[in-house]
Amino acid sequence: TGLENLPTEGSFVMVANHASHLDAPCLVSALPLRKLHRVFPAAAADYFFQSVPRIWVASVMINALPFGRQVQIRQSMGLCEKLLETPDNVLVIFPEGTRSSSGELGRFKPGIGALVAEKKVPVVPCHLYGAHAAWSRHHFIPRPGKLKLIIGQPRSYEHLTPGKESSLAIADELQKAV
C-alpha cells in the first residue's frame, strides 16, 4: 500500500521496522525493476559479511551495503552519504539497528537523523506486517504467511541543522511515522 509515495526521481532513503530477514527483500520488491541495481539495503557488517554464504546472499541476492554497527560507524555513514549524493540511488535502512526479537518496533537510533539532517533527500517511512510471524530471528526456516508493506509519505529534513538534538528528533519522528 502506498506505492504512489515512492519518489520517481532522485535518490531517497527508505526506513522501516526490522523483524525478519524478509524485510529487505520485501522493501526492494516494492521498487520498479529499473531501480533494482540502484537499491542498497544497509546490512550489519558483523553479521552478513563474516561468512562466505552470508556474504554471497548479502552481496549477490540483495545488493547489500556493509554497515558497521559497532566499529567503523563513521565510515559506514560516509559511505551512505556518498551513495545518496549519486542520483537515483535508494538506501534502505532499519534504524532499530537489529531485528526485533518480539516483533515490536524498537527505538530508532539517532544515526538516521545524523544521515539526513540538512540534506535534500526524501526519507520514506515504511511498515512491514507479518514478517516476524513468517521468519523471526528465532527460526531457521521461514514459514508461509502474508506480508503487508505500507509505504508512507516522504519527509525531508533539509531545514534541520546537523547535531545531537536534530538527530534525536528525526529518529523519534521517523519511529512514530513507521
Side-chain angles (χ1 to χ4, degrees), residues 10-40:
S11 293
F12 64 94
V13 179
M14 293 176 81
V15 297
N17 57 312
H18 196 24
S20 171
H21 284 314
L22 296 172
D23 298 343
C26 185
L27 289 164
V28 170
S29 72
L31 297 164
L33 285 174
R34 71 182 184 283
K35 280 208 176 264
L36 289 186
H37 68 289
R38 306 299 296 256
V39 180
F40 302 90

Side-chain angles (χ1 to χ4, degrees), residues 63-91:
N63 201 30
L65 173 75
F67 194 94
R69 297 186 291 184
Q70 309 298 325
V71 296
Q72 298 181 327
I73 296 169
R74 287 183 195 256
Q75 292 90 332
S76 296
M77 292 289 283
L79 188 56
C80 290
E81 288 174 356
K82 290 285 186 203
L83 189 137
L84 290 170
E85 289 170 3
T86 305
D88 297 324
N89 281 340
V90 180
L91 178 62

Side-chain angles (χ1 to χ4, degrees), residues 114-178:
L115 180 64
V116 300
E118 205 175 57
K119 295 191 180 61
K120 191 175 182 174
V121 59
V123 182
V124 182
C126 303
H127 191 89
L128 286 153
Y129 292 97
H132 185 263
W135 197 9
S136 76
R137 69 186 307 167
H138 307 294
H139 293 93
F140 183 70
I141 299 172
R143 296 174 285 183
K146 289 186 179 185
L147 301 181
K148 182 175 183 177
L149 172 61
I150 297 176
I151 302 166
Q153 290 282 331
R155 288 149 165 67
S156 175
Y157 299 100
E158 64 184 294
H159 62 283
L160 294 175
T161 307
K164 185 177 181 178
E165 191 174 303
S166 292
S167 295
L168 291 169
I170 292 168
D172 187 52
E173 181 186 318
L174 286 171
Q175 180 180 335
K176 288 175 183 165
V178 167

